[in-house]
Amino acid sequence: MTEVTRQVFGQMPQEQGGGVVEKFTLKSDSLKVEILSLGCIIAALEMKGRGGEFTDVVLGFDTLEGYTRKHPFFGAVVGRVANRIAKGRFSLDGKEYQLFLNNGPNSLHGGAKGFDKVLWSPQVLPNGVCFFRLSPDGEEGYPGDLKVWVTYTLSGSELAINYRAQASRATPVSLTNHAYFNLAGQGSRDIYDHEITIEADSYLPVDDTKIPTGEVASVQGTGFDLRKPVELGKHLQKFHLDGFDHNFCLQQVQARRFVARARHPPTGRAMEVHTTQPGIQFYTGNNLDGSLKGKGAATYPKHSAFCLETQNWPDAVNKPHFPSTLLRPGEEYNHTTWLLFSAA
């Protein structure tokens, strides 16, 4: 049985549109998830360790104020297009579109005020919560009205996130959740003792602004071969990597499949990722620098969390040989990601 409760979490500042932010708590015997109506943010996720004690394993803030200031998309749903679009530009049906540049020369995670920074309309379900918003034509430079539904449901130790969207005009769409995990517990110093597995035979090399070069490269014989579990800290050292911020190319089937696992041997905590999406961005918190005060006054230094963001491939709107990110009128964008938590 899943218990769902709601409470007021805070009030948005007037200069950000005002409005009440609610927090929804989804609770089962093995998992407790707190989700905000601001940005559909996963603000806390408490899971059991080997000894049965609950620990919060996602980075974030204790109060709304933290989330209304600049932060690296902690726990949020990002869109209209997750990840980077080169120079914030794309052509569609003969027309050029220019987006806001918020990541060096590129547009990242929907622009200046993406889906992470807006209030969504919630509807409580027996085992979860569904958030809705209408992204109006021209928002952040994107064409067409886009209706979006993000549904979180909790069943035992499995959290499912379903994304649906419908467009009035052709538009690129790629949605993901940007939760930062540390299975040792949020506020732990690093993730070097985590074991990571990603079920991908290829990945996308990137240029110095993190835009894919267009090559789809084999992981074989490289530091990107994560098909067998690797201990992250030792692996980064062995391959002289500063961290990961790369898209791994998944099997191109629109069915649920296992794509990644993170495991923390000292506590026995593990998280499996299953998805219908064509890609997964593995990010090791390279840009965290300890400057943000998080939950319980924790600081979040570099490599103190990881993200496994299921999504379409970055810059796909400009790369015809990548899986298409275009949604046209009469079609429906519909993807689900399942996170399974365990302790052994």
Side-chain angles (χ1 to χ4, degrees), residues 2 26 33 35 125-130 151-156 158-162 336-339:
T2 301
L26 281 43
V33 189
I35 305 159
L125 306 173
N127 60 342
V129 58
C130 176
T151 306
Y152 292 90
T153 47
L154 179 60
S155 170
E158 178 179 276
L159 178 68
I161 313 174
N162 173 259
T336 306
T337 294
W338 296 264
L339 304 175

Side-chain angles (χ1 to χ4, degrees), residues 3-4 24-28 31-33 35 127-128 152 154:
E3 184 190 319
V4 185
F24 297 82
T25 304
L26 281 43
K27 195 167 182 288
S28 71
L31 219 55
K32 179 178 157 191
V33 189
I35 305 159
N127 60 342
Y152 292 90
L154 179 60

Side-chain angles (χ1 to χ4, degrees), residues 17-341:
V20 172
V21 178
E22 287 189 281
K23 178 173 82 179
F24 297 82
T25 304
L26 281 43
K27 195 167 182 288
S28 71
D29 289 343
S30 49
L31 219 55
K32 179 178 157 191
V33 189
E34 297 179 354
I35 305 159
L36 307 182
S37 56
L38 170 67
C40 306
I41 287 170
I42 296 177
L45 192 151
E46 295 180 19
M47 67 179 294
K48 282 183 179 173
R50 196 181 281 125
E53 71 294 343
F54 277 89
T55 303
D56 185 3
V57 296
V58 300
L59 277 54
F61 303 101
D62 289 321
T63 62
L64 178 59
E65 202 179 10
Y67 292 107
T68 58
R69 294 199 195 121
K70 189 170 162 51
H71 68 92
F73 305 96
F74 283 152
V77 165
V78 293
R80 199 175 280 202
V81 174
N83 218 311
R84 294 170 180 86
I85 293 178
K87 300 185 173 57
R89 284 208 296 267
F90 62 90
S91 281
L92 182 50
D93 299 336
K95 191 171 173 211
E96 281 271 328
Y97 293 90
Q98 178 65 55
L99 310 171
F100 187 81
L101 306 180
N102 61 334
N103 186 247
N106 306 315
S107 182
L108 175 70
H109 293 330
K113 191 177 180 182
F115 289 4
D116 59 298
K117 297 179 183 70
V118 292
L119 280 179
W120 294 62
S121 304
Q123 182 193 351
V124 170
L125 306 173
N127 60 342
V129 58
C130 176
F131 296 99
F132 171 79
R133 81 173 296 252
L134 172 68
S135 170
D137 180 27
E139 182 174 63
E140 287 297 322
Y142 287 98
D145 287 340
L146 188 74
K147 291 179 178 174
V148 193
W149 296 263
V150 176
T151 306
Y152 292 90
T153 47
L154 179 60
S155 170
S157 57
E158 178 179 276
L159 178 68
I161 313 174
N162 173 259
Y163 307 90
R164 284 174 52 222
Q166 295 164 357
S168 67
R169 283 168 62 195
T171 183
V173 180
S174 175
L175 303 174
T176 193
N177 177 283
H178 209 309
Y180 286 69
F181 292 94
N182 186 321
L183 298 180
Q186 74 87 27
S188 299
R189 192 178 65 248
D190 59 56
I191 48 170
Y192 299 140
D193 58 354
H194 284 54
E195 282 178 0
I196 301 289
T197 314
I198 298 180
E199 191 77 12
D201 297 329
S202 52
Y203 78 101
L204 301 180
V206 293
D207 66 18
D208 56 7
T209 73
K210 301 278 193 295
I211 291 289
T213 60
E215 181 193 0
V216 181
S218 170
V219 300
Q220 186 72 39
T222 74
F224 294 88
D225 192 345
L226 306 176
R227 292 173 295 189
K228 290 196 167 68
V230 304
E231 188 179 318
L232 192 61
K234 288 180 181 159
H235 187 81
L236 293 177
Q237 275 181 323
K238 178 181 170 183
F239 288 96
H240 307 291
L241 295 168
D242 183 49
F244 288 94
D245 191 1
H246 294 79
N247 178 81
F248 287 76
C249 309
L250 307 174
Q251 266 182 306
Q252 303 294 302
V253 287
Q254 179 75 43
R256 174 177 177 159
R257 64 225 182 271
F258 165 77
V259 296
R261 179 185 291 108
R263 196 170 150 263
H264 185 245
T267 59
R269 289 192 200 100
M271 174 178 114
E272 268 189 16
V273 184
H274 296 237
T275 192
T276 59
Q277 292 272 23
I280 187 166
Q281 186 85 4
F282 178 39
Y283 174 53
T284 50
N286 314 330
N287 298 322
L288 296 174
D289 60 7
S291 62
L292 289 172
K293 271 274 190 287
K295 289 182 274 194
T299 54
Y300 299 137
K302 182 175 177 171
H303 295 164
S304 61
F306 66 88
C307 306
L308 286 165
E309 308 158 57
T310 53
Q311 55 185 257
N312 204 321
W313 300 5
D315 201 33
V317 72
N318 291 312
K319 307 266 198 301
H321 60 297
F322 283 9
S324 173
T325 184
L326 290 184
L327 178 67
R328 295 189 178 273
E331 301 172 345
E332 182 168 83
Y333 175 96
N334 193 336
H335 280 288
T336 306
T337 294
W338 296 264
L339 304 175
L340 282 69
F341 297 89

